């Protein structure tokens, strides 16, 4: 029987539980429904007659390193200039701004494809000023590339397991054709023996990175562990997008120290690679900011073409980030002496939650 005393104890218990939950940070973690609503709003369809802000919104949906969105956009009549936002650079994992310019290239390609699909085709040009900017100049013309534009908002880095199925050579050709760009070589690897060798390099690089306190500190800075923090920041790597649980930030930071070990990560990556249809390695003809932008453009086209074909993709860039392992990777793909730029896996698998983006107003200057 619920007596008054029972009720009071119950009420006190509830209060205590409430206080404990507040202290633990469980209360205000936000909900996945709110998170999904926020990320879906930024992925709304491109209008038939887009303004510069609409095109820029589509540009920001591009792949980018650590989801720092280290870019700004300056719109003028018939041109949009993309520049690096160095306040969002990641100097530990990316000391020479390689990933920063690749990410700029990914955004530039999205911008160009989105504009062309709405009858505003244009040219992307690299200028060396200020360390490097990309200018998209456009004019009225025929609508093209609509297939790729239609999937810009659907593309995601899908870091889960794939289903192990293979691709036909015609499907592999379509991917390679979409990514073809002068100045960038693409190596597609579908032999599982070769893929396992690349998995070993990824594991070696991953082990080195996890053992590096500076790498882990930078990674932690960009991690988001719950929907509220992910929505508020609009950037970073949200645990739910990799299939991991949501939790208060303090707990997430601690869990990263305890549970994110090279052993667990290497086992998981090896299984994910084995479940993939293949691996793609992008290699620029030259190593400078202009060519890194080209690599970004090529890989974004590859990712969009894969999405249009119902395929998923995810990056595994550890052996290009750990400089000491680049020569072994270059030899494995038959390009000794070159510097590989990106490693991606691709295949068929289930979608994961989308990554957040900052609003367009935050990136327009
Ligand atoms: C240059 C570059 C390097 C990246 N490196 C990795 C990586 O090593 N591992 C990974 O899981 N994702 C990597 N990514 C993917 C980004 O984390 C991802 O694009 C970002 O979080 C946004 O998510 P989205 O691609 O789903 O929109 C990389 C992306 C780029 C452009």
């Amino acid at each position: 029987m619920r007596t008054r005393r029972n009720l009071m104890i119950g009420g006190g218990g509830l209060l205590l539980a409430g206080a404990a939950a507040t202290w633990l940070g469980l209360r205000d973690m936000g909900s996945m429904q709110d998170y999904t609503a926020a990320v879906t709003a930024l992925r709304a369809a491109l209008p038939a007659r887009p303004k510069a802000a609409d095109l820029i919104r589509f540009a920001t949906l591009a792949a980018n390193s650590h989801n720092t969105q280290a870019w700004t956009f300056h719109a003028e009549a018939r041109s949009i200039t993309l520049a690096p936002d160095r306040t969002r650079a990641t100097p530990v994992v990316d000391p020479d701004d390689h990933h920063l310019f690749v990410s700029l290239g990914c955004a530039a390609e999205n911008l160009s494809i989105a504009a062309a699909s709405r009858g505003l085709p244009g040219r992307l040009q690299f200028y060396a000023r200020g360390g490097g900017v990309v200018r998209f100049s456009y004019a009225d013309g025929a609508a093209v590339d609509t297939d790729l534009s239609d999937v810009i908002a659907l593309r995601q880095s899908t870091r889960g397991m794939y289903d192990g199925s293979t691709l036909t050579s015609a499907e592999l050709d379509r991917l390679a054709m979409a990514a073809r760009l002068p100045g960038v070589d693409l190596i597609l690897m579908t032999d599982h023996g070769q893929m396992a060798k690349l998995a070993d390099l990824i594991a070696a690089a991953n082990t080195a990175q996890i053992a590096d306190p500076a790498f882990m500190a930078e990674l932690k800075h960009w991690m988001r562990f719950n929907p509220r923090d992910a929505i508020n920041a609009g950037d970073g790597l949200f645990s739910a997008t990799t299939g991991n649980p949501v939790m208060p930030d303090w707990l997430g930071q601690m869990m990263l120290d305890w549970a994110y070990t090279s052993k667990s990560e290497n086992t998981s990556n090896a299984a994910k690679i084995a479940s993939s249809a293949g691996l793609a390695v992008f290699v620029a003809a030259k190593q400078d900011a202009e060519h890194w932008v080209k690599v970004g453009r090529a890989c974004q086209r590859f990712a969009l073409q894969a999405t249009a074909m119902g395929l998923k993709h995810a990056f595994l860039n550890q052996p290009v980030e750990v400089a000491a392992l680049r020569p072994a990777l270059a030899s494995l793909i038959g390009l000794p002496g070159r510097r590989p730029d990106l490693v991606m896996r691709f295949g068929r698998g289930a979608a994961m939650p989308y990554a957040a983006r900052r609003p367009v107003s935050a990136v327009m200057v």
Side-chain angles (χ1 to χ4, degrees):
M1 196 173 92
R2 282 170 76 81
T3 62
R4 188 177 147 75
R5 183 176 154 74
N6 271 344
L7 274 176
M8 279 177 65
I9 291 170
L14 274 181
L15 270 180
L16 263 180
T22 304
W23 181 74
L24 286 167
L26 296 173
R27 268 276 181 75
D28 41 355
M29 290 201 307
S31 71
M32 279 308 286
Q33 284 95 319
D34 289 347
Y35 177 78
T36 306
V39 296
T40 309
L42 278 175
R43 289 171 190 269
L46 195 63
R49 298 178 140 275
K51 299 196 173 81
D54 297 310
L55 298 174
I56 292 169
R57 175 169 60 85
F58 260 47
T60 67
L61 298 178
N64 68 99
S65 183
H66 277 26
N67 199 22
T68 72
Q69 303 158 40
W71 46 44
T72 62
F73 298 81
H74 178 67
E76 285 172 294
R78 303 273 143 171
S79 80
I80 297 174
T81 303
L82 296 80
D85 176 355
R86 287 208 164 69
T87 64
R88 293 177 162 268
T90 48
V92 179
V93 72
D94 187 30
D96 56 5
D97 286 343
H98 170 278
H99 283 7
L100 183 142
F101 281 105
V102 171
S103 304
L104 210 63
C106 294
E109 190 61 28
N110 263 13
L111 183 63
S112 170
I113 291 171
S117 76
R118 295 297 185 266
L120 298 170
R123 283 181 71 195
L124 289 169
Q125 276 173 296
F126 179 88
Y127 296 93
R129 71 177 146 89
V133 300
V134 181
R135 186 154 192 239
F136 177 59
S137 321
Y138 57 98
D140 292 317
V144 290
D145 258 353
T146 47
D147 288 0
L148 294 189
S149 180
D150 286 349
V151 295
I152 285 177
L154 296 178
R155 186 211 60 82
Q156 61 168 208
S157 301
T158 312
R159 300 185 183 86
M161 291 286 283
Y162 298 166
D163 70 5
S165 61
T166 55
L167 267 63
T168 63
S169 52
E171 287 170 322
L172 292 167
D173 284 350
R174 278 183 75 190
L175 289 172
M177 281 293 290
R180 187 178 287 179
L181 195 80
V184 182
D185 289 314
L186 170 63
I187 311 298
L188 291 181
M189 199 183 263
T190 53
D191 173 79
H192 278 259
Q194 288 289 96
M195 286 164 65
K197 285 186 188 158
L198 214 168
D200 288 344
L201 288 181
I202 290 167
N206 201 42
T207 302
Q209 287 182 325
I210 292 176
D212 176 358
F215 173 87
M216 288 305 292
E218 189 176 74
L219 181 66
K220 274 186 187 172
H221 178 74
W222 291 103
M223 286 296 302
R224 312 284 175 249
F225 294 100
N226 57 71
R228 186 204 59 185
D229 287 354
I231 296 169
N232 287 348
D235 62 17
L237 302 163
F238 179 26
S239 53
T241 65
T242 48
N244 285 310
V246 303
M247 57 189 75
D249 183 64
W250 64 266
L251 188 56
Q253 302 276 346
M254 268 168 64
M255 290 298 289
L256 211 61
D257 289 334
W258 291 338
Y260 191 75
T261 64
S262 47
K263 191 160 181 264
S264 68
E265 281 303 294
N266 292 343
T267 307
S268 158
N269 282 340
K272 286 173 181 172
I273 291 164
S275 79
S276 303
L279 293 169
V281 185
F282 294 81
V283 189
K286 276 187 175 176
Q287 287 302 325
D288 56 30
E290 182 171 4
H291 283 79
W292 297 335
V293 166
K294 287 180 197 238
V295 167
R297 293 184 57 194
C299 95
Q300 187 69 22
R301 292 189 67 84
F302 182 96
L304 291 175
Q305 181 62 54
T307 308
M309 291 162 63
L311 303 171
K312 300 287 187 285
H313 67 278
F315 294 81
L316 287 159
N317 279 321
Q318 294 91 332
V320 305
E321 290 163 355
V322 176
L325 286 160
R326 285 178 205 148
L329 176 57
S331 297
L332 181 65
I333 58 171
L335 294 175
R338 303 271 295 275
R339 171 179 168 175
D341 290 282
L342 290 178
V343 181
M344 260 187 190
R345 67 185 175 98
F346 54 90
R348 298 182 181 88
M352 307 283 267
Y354 282 102
R357 293 296 190 276
R358 289 176 296 148
V360 173
S361 56
V363 297
M364 283 183 78
V365 292

